[in-house]
Amino acid sequence: MTQRAFKPILLDLLRQAQISQNAFFQELTPAELATIGTPEYWSAKDHVAHMTFWRQRLVFRLQALIRQETQPQSENFEQLNPVIFEEQRYRPWLEILTESDQAYAELISLSDQLTEEDLTAFNRFDWTHDGAPLYTALMGYCYEHTQQHLAQYSLDRNNLERAIDTYEVWASRVIEAEVPEPLKGYIFYNLACFYATHSRLEQAAPALQQAFKLYPPSREFARTDPDLVALRPNQSE
């Protein structure tokens, strides 16, 4: 049986991420959208501005890749994030959302110009984490990062059930797609971590076992991951 090309699936996941992000924020009240956040309590606008900034940085990398130019220098996110917050804090919501849509559109367009091998080969680019395939960066910036921020928005407002629903819906979309098993395993691992840190151990344990099965290196990560402390006695060797 011929294996289905991954690029169309990846592009579809990125498009769904953009649609789902916008739908999430469109459900908020005008007052919520107009809120000015603080460093300890981010507004909807703060979350979107932050995610957009880092997607734009990935746009610059893909543009350099396609043009065969020198890659931009890596940036320290811990130092930059407070700066991003202050710079974006008072900008209009519509302006922030327009930039978000533009960044998604650019990433989808640039990704479409890359080959299947560009997206899926290991050790192809020295700026991806541990030589991981390029698709992991795209899923990280456009999918996983968004999932985390939408859930955090709900958690900050004491809505754990909505945060769990966000994690489960976004995770299931990847798990049910024809994506590489390591990606599914990584998604299961993050889902297990989320469950474990929110007292859902009965759901965390099977998710973690699926992660071990689909992405065996995750077993080693789990041994010392602080998010999984509550599960450690239950982890099988």
Side-chain angles (χ1 to χ4, degrees):
M1 181 181 295
T2 303
Q3 184 174 3
R4 184 179 175 187
F6 175 58
K7 186 168 82 168
I9 300 170
L10 173 65
L11 296 179
D12 184 58
L13 287 170
L14 299 185
R15 293 187 188 100
Q16 290 185 61
Q18 179 186 11
I19 292 169
S20 296
Q21 173 200 279
N22 290 350
F24 181 95
F25 290 113
Q26 285 165 1
E27 292 175 1
L28 303 183
T29 66
E32 287 177 292
L33 296 178
T35 297
I36 303 298
T38 69
E40 296 76 26
Y41 190 79
W42 283 19
S43 69
K45 189 169 60 175
D46 298 327
H47 282 281
V48 177
H50 169 89
M51 293 186 288
T52 299
F53 177 91
W54 290 109
R55 291 182 201 129
Q56 288 170 332
R57 289 306 183 266
L58 184 56
V59 166
F60 298 154
R61 287 199 176 278
L62 296 188
Q63 288 173 335
L65 173 62
I66 289 171
R67 296 169 183 166
Q68 299 185 343
E69 297 172 347
T70 302
Q71 282 290 319
Q73 291 290 322
S74 296
E75 298 168 295
N76 187 313
F77 72 91
E78 292 181 344
Q79 294 177 356
L80 266 179
N81 284 343
V83 176
I84 299 165
F85 176 85
E86 291 299 334
E87 288 180 348
Q88 307 286 328
R89 189 176 183 184
Y90 297 103
R91 294 181 61 206
W93 169 253
L94 182 59
E95 193 174 289
I96 294 290
L97 187 59
T98 298
E99 283 191 2
S100 172
D101 285 340
Q102 181 179 0
Y104 259 118
E106 289 177 332
L107 283 171
I108 291 169
S109 175
L110 291 166
S111 300
D112 197 26
Q113 297 176 50
L114 299 172
T115 67
E116 188 85 2
E117 185 177 3
D118 287 334
L119 292 166
T120 60
F122 285 83
N123 300 310
R124 191 172 181 85
F125 308 109
D126 58 12
W127 50 270
T128 57
H129 182 67
D130 290 339
L134 181 55
Y135 78 76
T136 61
L138 286 157
M139 288 296 292
Y141 282 95
C142 298
Y143 204 93
E144 178 194 2
H145 196 204
T146 310
Q147 173 193 44
Q148 291 171 343
H149 276 270
L150 299 188
Q152 189 60 50
Y153 183 88
S154 297
L155 290 171
D156 287 344
R157 287 148 184 85
N158 301 311
N159 194 339
L160 175 59
E161 291 306 316
R162 189 178 190 191
I164 291 173
D165 182 67
T166 295
Y167 252 83
E168 290 178 341
V169 169
W170 282 61
S172 65
R173 193 180 293 151
V174 179
I175 292 165
E176 293 168 6
E178 294 182 51
V179 302
E181 286 195 348
L183 177 56
K184 292 187 181 187
Y186 183 73
I187 294 295
F188 269 118
Y189 186 88
N190 286 341
L191 184 60
C193 288
F194 183 81
Y195 283 144
T197 53
H198 293 90
S199 303
R200 300 295 177 105
L201 300 187
E202 71 285 355
Q203 294 164 285
L208 189 59
Q209 291 303 315
Q210 284 295 318
F212 292 166
K213 177 182 176 181
L214 295 166
Y215 184 43
S218 63
R219 185 181 296 274
E220 189 61 33
F221 308 152
R223 296 183 193 280
T224 56
D225 193 330
D227 287 347
L228 299 174
V229 167
L231 273 184
R232 206 94 70 209
N234 303 323
Q235 289 175 28
S236 58
E237 294 296 330

